[in-house]
Every structure is written in structure tokens, then in C-alpha cells.
Amino acid sequence: MTDTTELPLGDLPLAAYVVLGMVSLGARSGYDIKQDVERSIRFFWTISQAQIYPCLEELEHQGLVTGAEQPAGRRRRRVYEITDSGREALRSWLTVSAPVPFELRDVGLLKLFFAGALSPTEAGDLLKVVRHRSEERVATLTAIRAAASGLRDDGNAFPLLTLELGIAFHEAMAEVCARFASAEVAAV
């Protein structure tokens, strides 16, 4: 597998747990997994197409998912279902009692950290870019919320919880950027 990031449990790389989780939510093929990631967790976690297929292969080898060929026209297609062992592996990973690391990789925040090297105008422009990005993300996530309002039918509200947390995070980012910009203008 291409993702070597390991979390406690150590049996699988983190990307494999992402794939396993997506299959447990109903994604059936590698393509479906990529599409579901793009509509959901990509806002806080990414996995590449190049990671998905090797993970599926390894998960099937370990008996955590089962796959079957299901061609779509001339296109080769393999669909997967999670096994009882796969559900247990996912549950074990979700419940492992170890610290839950937080990793935020944000180029905008990185640039803001070093913005003291810019002129005040340039730094202000960078701050506007970061604020605008968060405002756009709030709009995008709010639109997803409206489109996903009927998704609670399966009793799983946690994807919507992460959506709400993403909205709150970006609202806070935009608000703090606006407050900082106002304080900087007042200081001049």
C-alpha cells in the first residue's frame, strides 16, 4: 500500500481505514469511493485514486472486503462489500484508546504565519484571500448541507455532524480574519 501513515492498531495504513469506512457506508467500487470522498471527507482528509485501488486489493487479500467483477458495458468494474471481519477491523480502529492526532495542513495559514515579510498592503491582501477562501468553503458546505438534508434516513447522522463542524470551522476562520483585518486597520 502506498500510504505508510499508521495509527494505533497498526495492521492497516490510514488510507485503508478510509477505504474500509467508505465501503461500509455503501461505496461499491474504487470509482464510487473516489466520488464519495470528493463529496464528503475531502474537505478535511484526502486520499488519492492511486491509494484506493491498492487498498481495496489489500483489504480483499486480508478478507476485510469481498470483491466481484461487475463490468459496466466494456468497462472493467469490480464492486466490493465489507465483511464481518472488515466491520470489526473498522470498529477496532474507531474505538482504539489512544490519542487522536490532529493534523492541519493549510498553505494559507502557513503563508499568514510568514506574512510579516510582506508589506502591510500585501499582508492584507493575503489575509483577504484566506478569508475569502473560508467564506467560499462555508457557501460550498452549506449547499452540501441543503442537498444532504434527507441523508439521515439510515440513522447515521455522523457524516452530517462532520459537515456541521466543517461549516463552523470555516465560519470561525472567516470571522477571525475579518476581526484581525479590522484591528489592523484601526491600528493604522
Side-chain angles (χ1 to χ4, degrees), residues 6 8 37-38 48 76 96 101 127 130 147 183 185:
E6 301 269 342
V37 164
E38 287 301 310
S48 71
R76 196 174 144 235
V96 68
L127 185 60
V130 172
V185 169

Side-chain angles (χ1 to χ4, degrees), residues 23 37 43 104 108 120 129 166 178:
V23 173
V37 164
F43 296 102
L104 175 67
V129 167

Side-chain angles (χ1 to χ4, degrees), residues 21-29 32 36 80:
M22 285 299 180
V23 173
S24 79
L25 290 174
R28 304 263 301 145
S29 67
D32 293 340
D36 287 354
Y80 297 88

